[in-house]
Amino acid sequence: MALWGGRFAGDASAMFKQVNDSLPFDYVMATEDIIGSIAWSKGLVRAGVLSVQEQTELEHSLCELKDAVEAGEINFAASQEEDIHSFVEAYLTDKLGDLGRKLHTGRSRNDQVATDFRLWCKRHLAGLKLDLVNLLEALLRCASRHEQAILPGYTHLQRAQPVHFAHWCLAYVEMLKRDISRIEDCVKRLNQSPLGCGALAGTTFAVDRTALASELGFDGPCLNSLDAVSDRDFVLELLFTASTGMMHLSRMSEDLIFYNSGEAGFLQLSDAVTSGSSLMPQKKNPDALELMRGKCGRVFGHLQGLLVTMKGLPLAYNKDMQEDKEGAIDAVNQYHICLCIGVEVLDGLTLNQEATRKAAQQGYANATELADYLVGKGIPFRTAHDIAGQAVVKAIHKGVALEDLEITELTQLHASIEDDVYPWLALEAVISKRDQLGGTSHKMVTQALYLEHENLDKLKASLSNDQ
Ligand code: ARG
């Protein structure tokens, strides 16, 4: 039965129920709604509305329902209730009669849904943080498995300068660390309790909002009732966090798809994360990576969708805001799946280290070294750049690498090029010279790996505080 019976003579139409009912998707907040209701019942004792005995009975039934929900025993699809809030209230009324009908005293579904959804977001942000830490750890494993491997680094998808493969892994570690800190940030701001703000103007009952907030694990109560019931910034921040995180996964996927291509041939993916073609027997397609890239579209769309939904809404609650859930639920789910599959991809990939090394040696990736060598001989960099460019043209015409040009051919370009140029052009030298902080030298990468392992330990320790 609808919660607003008295004012209405007729029933809602079937079509209206289709557009209006949110139980088909907001049942996922059942646990949060029950926890919030238990806290509210305690508030009503403080306000003198419920006796301790009544509160105990209510809490007992709510706990029973919570257990049943968590055991998967509740068939929400069979219910005609409008949303999870009416579902829980109907359950209590069914069990406890008039006592069940007392619980909603001084509360509105407006402060209730805002509270439930904040709690739901908080729980899922903690889950996503754990997923991110797991992926970060997989990147470190992948880097450690290939500590010596060298591959070409690219700009504009042109071979630019050689880098360690571990350096590539560590670049994504940096992105994941920012994603984790974005989650932590998001939680900081959503951690205020709307409960006790009523429909829009606050409640008349002395429920003690600060006590309610700490009962639910919030840092404190929201300070303005109008804002509290109409704010969905926390959902937008979650969606932005998920979108940015998915964008990082997409870029990582794109790199790996390219490395895995027949043209590059830098790595193989495991059978576990690839599929074949129904027609072409030779194919092994990087589907998991393509889907990590492809699912960005819908997650970004959910962020855009809610921004547009919110932009014209007058204060305070409007039913448009019910549209905040499906997108957020889907975004969290997709992001979670992609973070988990990312671990499987990284753990199962095999780098073809000979191919990556060979590619790093081709494409004149050491031309900058020739210019730097000339700078060492007192030639201005711009002139040195020009001479190195001419050397590249010469080598291209001859069909050889820079280091395969004869010394006489190099001296023709500039008299100060001598035999000591060759060690400068060797792959190992090119890499090991980049030993300033953040560079790709073996020393720097080893140091970074060490520091990231230490950081991982700290992150893991912080996970237990989030639960
Ligand atoms: N199902 C609603 C939502 O998700 C709950 C709040 C309903 N409030 C109201 N005044 N109709 O937003």
Side-chain angles (χ1 to χ4, degrees), residues 4 20-23 25-26 29 82-85 108-110 113 232 317-325:
W4 52 80
N20 187 55
D21 289 4
S22 54
L23 186 62
F25 49 87
D26 71 11
M29 304 189 304
E82 179 190 338
D83 56 23
I84 188 60
H85 323 295
S108 159
R109 281 184 299 160
N110 298 353
V113 71
R232 292 295 182 271
Y317 179 84
N318 303 267
K319 200 59 170 275
D320 317 44
M321 287 156 64
Q322 181 169 280
E323 290 294 308
D324 61 354
K325 297 195 190 56

Side-chain angles (χ1 to χ4, degrees), residues 7 13 19 41 89 117 168 201-202 209 211 220 240 324 338 361 378 380 384 411 413 457:
R7 168 78 170 74
S13 81
V19 75
S41 67
E89 194 175 322
F117 207 30
W168 176 91
R209 292 198 52 227
F240 174 72
D324 61 354
C338 289
Q361 269 165 333
T411 323
L413 295 172
D457 290 340

